[in-house]
Amino acid sequence: DLRAAAEEAVALLAPEAATAGVELTLHPGGAVRVALDGEKMSQAMCNLLRNAIEATTAGGKVRVSVTSAGGDARLEIEDDGGGIAAGAPVFEPYFTTKDQGTGLGLAVAHRIVADHGGTIGVESRPGRTVFSIVLMTLSFVAGFYGMNIWLPLGHEQAGWRGAFFVILGVMVALAGGLFFYFRKRKWI
């Protein structure tokens, strides 16, 4: 659940934000189901949140939102800091604008998101920067033409036939999800 990972990251960095005088909020909403390594995605979110907190002056705000639409899960981290220069290679290792930064936080976040089959982007202007992570939802991966065809695993069917149809349903769902994943990325 992407929202649960975001809640964990926000809880971890809330004391750091409070010390800096920055208001850190997570917009309310329901669960957004994605296949992810929660620990790694939490690390990526913490890196993004830490940068947002450090870029925001005391009295500023950092907002986190998790939404789902059209088979995509979107996490946005928005701050009202000074902004990032246009064309800055923020996802390149060792790029930093901070005196004490290593320049690895955003590069690591980029790698983690890419390893999850997602994308990460940034839009910035003075007074507003938004980092966006986009991942495929489980319903998109498991869906075929927008229909969720997972067989209800709680309903046992007799013997090997039940197992066969569960496995067949999973294989069809994965094939359909992969087809649309590659088609969406224009690889097919």
Side-chain angles (χ1 to χ4, degrees):
D1 178 13
L2 189 59
R3 175 164 298 282
E7 288 171 353
E8 180 182 332
V10 166
L12 284 170
L13 290 176
E16 192 173 316
T19 300
V22 174
E23 181 184 336
L24 177 59
T25 58
L26 174 64
H27 289 279
V32 177
R33 305 234 356 186
V34 295
L36 57 80
D37 178 335
E39 187 175 313
K40 291 210 179 278
M41 192 56 70
S42 183
Q43 178 187 0
M45 288 182 215
C46 284
N47 289 351
L48 293 169
L49 284 170
R50 185 167 286 114
N51 276 9
I53 292 166
E54 291 173 357
T56 305
T57 57
K61 296 179 181 180
V62 174
R63 294 166 289 284
V64 180
S65 64
V66 180
T67 58
S68 176
D72 285 335
R74 177 177 291 270
L75 173 115
E76 290 186 344
I77 297 174
E78 178 182 353
D79 69 65
D80 54 9
I84 300 170
V90 295
F91 298 115
E92 293 295 318
Y94 307 112
F95 174 81
T96 185
T97 58
K98 298 182 244 174
D99 294 335
Q100 305 220 341
T102 62
L104 292 175
L106 294 178
V108 168
H110 185 270
R111 178 59 188 244
I112 290 169
V113 171
D115 287 348
H116 282 81
T119 59
I120 184 170
V122 61
E123 294 178 24
S124 187
R125 61 177 164 74
R128 182 175 185 263
T129 299
V130 180
F131 279 89
S132 299
I133 295 174
V134 179
L135 302 165
M136 286 192 309
T137 62
L138 282 179
S139 63
F140 182 79
V141 172
F144 188 75
Y145 288 107
M147 297 174 8
N148 190 349
I149 62 171
W150 285 105
L151 295 177
L153 297 178
H155 300 289
E156 279 89 33
Q157 297 180 16
W160 64 270
R161 287 185 182 152
F164 171 79
F165 285 111
V166 168
I167 292 169
L168 180 64
V170 169
M171 289 173 50
V172 169
L174 288 175
L178 287 174
F179 173 77
F180 284 108
Y181 172 79
F182 290 123
R183 188 169 179 194
K184 183 176 183 180
R185 303 264 186 295
K186 297 187 177 18
W187 293 346
I188 293 180

